Amino acid sequence: MKAINLLFICLISFVVTNAQTNDSLNSKKDTTKIENSNPNAEITFKDGNILRGRIIKQTESFIIFKSDIAGEVTIPTEKILNIKFFDNNHTGNQQVYINLASRYFFSPSAINMKKGDGYYQNTWFSLSTFNYAFTNYFTLGGGFELFTLLSGHPLFMITPKVSVPITKNLHIGGGYMYIGILGDNMTKSFFGNIAYGNFTLGNEDANISMNVGTNIKYGGKPVYTINAFIKVSPKFGFMTENWIIPTASEYYSIYSLGGRIIGRKNLFDFALITNSEIAQNIPAIPYLTYTLRF
């Protein structure tokens, strides 16, 4: 377990360092290149529309684009599927891969999705969840578990979340998780009311978060999660999610380390979950999640 703790500390230190510099470095490099050349380009949007013209300026969050049809417009990058250039300096397609920064393997971050974004997530072909951003600050989610549904006593959850950016690299938020299991004759046989607050340091490419939550009905000691993500290429990033759960006399820790494969609309999360008790029997428990953005 000492090796796991050391690896976790090193990853968090790397994330904190990159979170402060990643945005400015990438933005400066991309903007300078585009502004000097103003290339002819074809932008394909996620809704299927295509716009041809010239890129005037490009950053990580938006593109200023000029065309004969639309004139000069500012286009958010989250609406873009890909960019195709038409000059000697820029050839081929520049694919846009957008990370799901609002969530780690399971725990949320304080970075919210943009208004109109949403996703479906499936964990081990069993737990299905849906989330949709009604505004830039409010997301509503919910889900159900397949095997309990087939047994006639479905487990379900409702998960609203509010997130607010304080600065470019600091976000705070909070949310609520209602978990229930329906009993016979559709009566409620179990429920949990978990309220939490969180903060995130960093951006979509490198961040670290802490969540603190408690059961509203029973109170008691809070539950903590400490999570981090670092993007190492346009299509891949390392991720860790770690739970500190109270027991009657002490806290019980669960560690995970894995990665995220990032596509234009599809994401795959995978990890190994372990602690001292799990390691006594097997090295770790595998974790796998598929996410479809819409």
Side-chain angles (χ1 to χ4, degrees):
M1 296 308 296
K2 290 183 178 180
I4 294 175
N5 291 335
L6 180 60
L7 180 61
F8 175 61
I9 292 171
C10 292
L11 178 59
I12 287 180
S13 300
F14 185 57
V15 168
V16 170
T17 302
N18 278 269
Q20 301 296 334
T21 59
N22 212 33
D23 264 355
S24 59
L25 290 176
N26 289 338
S27 179
K28 182 178 179 181
K29 180 180 66 175
D30 292 343
T31 302
T32 302
K33 184 177 181 180
I34 297 301
E35 285 181 326
N36 289 340
S37 58
N38 296 139
N40 295 319
E42 176 184 276
I43 293 181
T44 302
F45 294 86
K46 292 180 179 179
D47 61 8
N49 290 321
I50 295 175
L51 192 63
R52 296 181 179 89
R54 290 189 304 114
I55 294 178
I56 306 302
K57 181 179 179 181
Q58 180 177 1
T59 71
E60 286 194 349
S61 58
F62 68 87
I63 289 176
I64 298 177
F65 195 76
K66 187 174 183 179
S67 69
D68 294 335
I69 297 175
E72 188 171 302
V73 294
T74 300
I75 305 170
T77 53
E78 65 261 21
K79 293 185 177 181
I80 298 173
L81 182 62
N82 64 63
I83 303 171
K84 186 176 182 180
F85 295 102
F86 295 99
D87 67 4
N88 294 330
N89 297 322
H90 302 81
T91 59
N93 289 333
Q94 178 184 322
Q95 303 289 350
V96 178
Y97 299 95
I98 302 174
N99 176 39
L100 186 64
S102 65
R103 185 166 296 277
Y104 298 93
F105 295 120
F106 181 81
S107 294
S109 76
I111 299 176
N112 206 37
M113 295 186 293
K114 302 299 183 182
K115 179 181 178 180
D117 284 352
Y119 65 87
Y120 162 74
Q121 190 174 70
N122 183 278
T123 302
W124 271 128
F125 311 103
S126 174
L127 180 63
S128 293
T129 56
F130 303 84
N131 281 270
Y132 181 80
F134 287 91
T135 73
N136 289 334
Y137 311 105
F138 175 71
T139 300
L140 180 62
F144 62 90
E145 199 279 324
L146 176 62
F147 297 108
T148 55
L149 178 67
L150 295 176
S151 72
H153 300 279
L155 181 149
F156 65 95
M157 63 179 65
I158 302 172
T159 56
K161 185 183 84 167
V162 175
S163 302
V164 179
I166 303 302
T167 66
K168 187 176 183 179
N169 286 313
L170 178 61
H171 310 257
I172 64 171
Y176 172 75
M177 179 181 293
Y178 178 92
I179 304 174
I181 298 178
L182 294 179
D184 296 329
N185 301 319
M186 299 301 288
T187 59
K188 186 168 56 182
S189 59
F190 167 83
F191 71 95
N193 291 291
I194 301 171
Y196 67 87
N198 60 1
F199 75 89
T200 297
L201 174 66
N203 51 58
E204 291 191 354
D205 293 337
N207 55 71
I208 178 173
S209 297
M210 173 176 279
N211 295 281
V212 182
T214 187
N215 191 304
I216 296 175
K217 183 176 181 180
Y218 301 108
K221 298 178 182 178
V223 176
Y224 300 93
T225 70
I226 302 173
N227 320 299
F229 173 84
I230 177 69
K231 193 175 181 180
V232 296
S233 76
K235 298 182 181 181
F236 181 76
F238 289 106
M239 190 157 57
T240 180
E241 180 173 316
N242 307 276
W243 289 70
I244 306 172
I245 303 169
T247 64
S249 58
E250 57 184 3
Y251 274 90
Y252 180 82
S253 299
I254 301 175
Y255 307 97
S256 73
L257 181 64
R260 171 170 289 170
I261 300 172
I262 306 167
R264 294 191 298 272
K265 288 191 174 183
N266 303 282
L267 298 98
F268 294 90
D269 295 344
F270 59 91
L272 293 175
I273 302 172
T274 191
N275 62 14
S276 56
E277 287 77 12
I278 294 173
Q280 290 178 0
N281 301 301
I282 56 175
I285 299 173
Y287 179 91
L288 181 65
T289 292
Y290 165 73
T291 302
L292 174 64
R293 297 174 61 96
F294 55 82

